[in-house]
Amino acid sequence: MELEQFNIPRFLAVLPLFSDLSPADLARMAGGCDLKRLNRGDTIFRYGEPCEEFHVVVTGQIKLFALSQAGQEKVIELVGPGHSFAEALMFTSKPYILNAQALTSTLLLTVGKQAIVAEIERDPRFCMRMLAGISRRLHGLIQDIESGALQNGVQRVIGYLLREYQIEAESPEQAFTVALPVSKATIASRLSLTPEYFSKVLRELEEQGLIAMDKRDIRIIDPQRLATYGVQ
């Protein structure tokens, strides 16, 4: 897809934040957006750089991560198509507190702060939609923190494998396949596990007949048994 052919107003219209805007509003908002094509490994921003926009993934996968003084990486979040990041920080006038990098070939939409502030001044109701979106994101992060603190490693891996399924599947008994969007090492970091332990858990689940692995494709053979595995 050529960037010039991408319809930014149409894409904005399907995002919850902008879905109530009129065609004229969407066209005006699109004027404050920038569309970028990123290659795997490209940096979107680094810790300490000024934050004057937020970002929406159109296609691809973005990694948000922190680096220790020793250079050790901790993945904070993986962001996929249709999801945004850095909205809350944009309003604080503070620099980025994380790093962001493309994990795959990615199409990224950047929305400038000035365009957002102008829309809020035109329609205060838009501010409420921004707050609702930020609140949903905060709630999700709190759930992730709770999972990391209250669940053991096996439960965290199982939760990750079942997360997409629990949202979309109609039958809890139906087998399905999870395609890992990024490397196992990246997912392990996201779950606060070592790559070795993450692989060990997957092998254990396979030995128990709960999953079947084929590289990055993981077949969930028995979702109900998997959901209750290891629960005392």
Side-chain angles (χ1 to χ4, degrees), residues 50-109:
C51 176
E52 294 295 331
E53 63 278 309
F54 75 95
H55 314 272
V56 185
V57 179
V58 181
T59 61
Q61 196 84 205
I62 298 296
K63 171 179 66 175
L64 303 181
F65 65 99
L67 287 174
S68 69
Q69 291 184 347
Q72 185 176 7
E73 179 181 296
K74 171 64 176 84
V75 177
I76 305 300
E77 190 172 5
L78 300 173
V79 188
H83 295 279
S84 58
F85 55 99
E87 309 97 304
L89 188 63
M90 178 186 70
F91 289 107
T92 67
S93 299
K94 296 183 180 296
Y96 287 111
I97 57 175
L98 295 172
N99 306 278
Q101 183 182 51
L103 290 173
T104 63
S105 177
T106 298
L107 196 60
L108 188 70
L109 186 71

Side-chain angles (χ1 to χ4, degrees), residues 147-212:
S147 296
L150 301 178
Q151 295 181 340
N152 61 38
V154 174
Q155 291 171 329
R156 272 177 264 164
V157 173
I158 292 173
Y160 176 83
L161 294 176
L162 292 177
R163 182 176 302 167
E164 193 75 16
Y165 171 73
Q166 290 169 338
I167 295 173
E168 298 181 357
E170 296 180 357
S171 172
E173 301 178 355
Q174 184 177 356
F176 65 101
T177 298
V178 173
L180 301 183
V182 293
S183 70
K184 292 178 182 178
T186 299
I187 295 172
S189 178
R190 176 65 184 86
L191 298 176
S192 297
L193 304 172
T194 65
E196 295 78 13
Y197 185 79
F198 181 70
S199 295
K200 177 184 177 182
V201 172
L202 292 179
R203 288 195 300 270
E204 177 183 336
L205 298 178
E206 188 170 39
E207 290 169 357
Q208 293 295 322
L210 298 171
I211 67 172

Side-chain angles (χ1 to χ4, degrees), residues 37-46 62 100-104:
R37 188 177 297 281
L38 305 170
N39 296 317
R40 178 182 178 181
D42 284 354
T43 296
I44 295 99
F45 54 76
R46 293 183 175 87
I62 298 296
Q101 183 182 51
L103 290 173
T104 63

Side-chain angles (χ1 to χ4, degrees), residues 114-129:
Q114 186 174 353
I116 294 295
V117 171
E119 193 58 40
I120 290 174
E121 291 174 346
R122 289 189 186 92
D123 184 358
R125 292 173 299 178
F126 185 73
C127 182
M128 297 303 298
R129 290 196 292 275

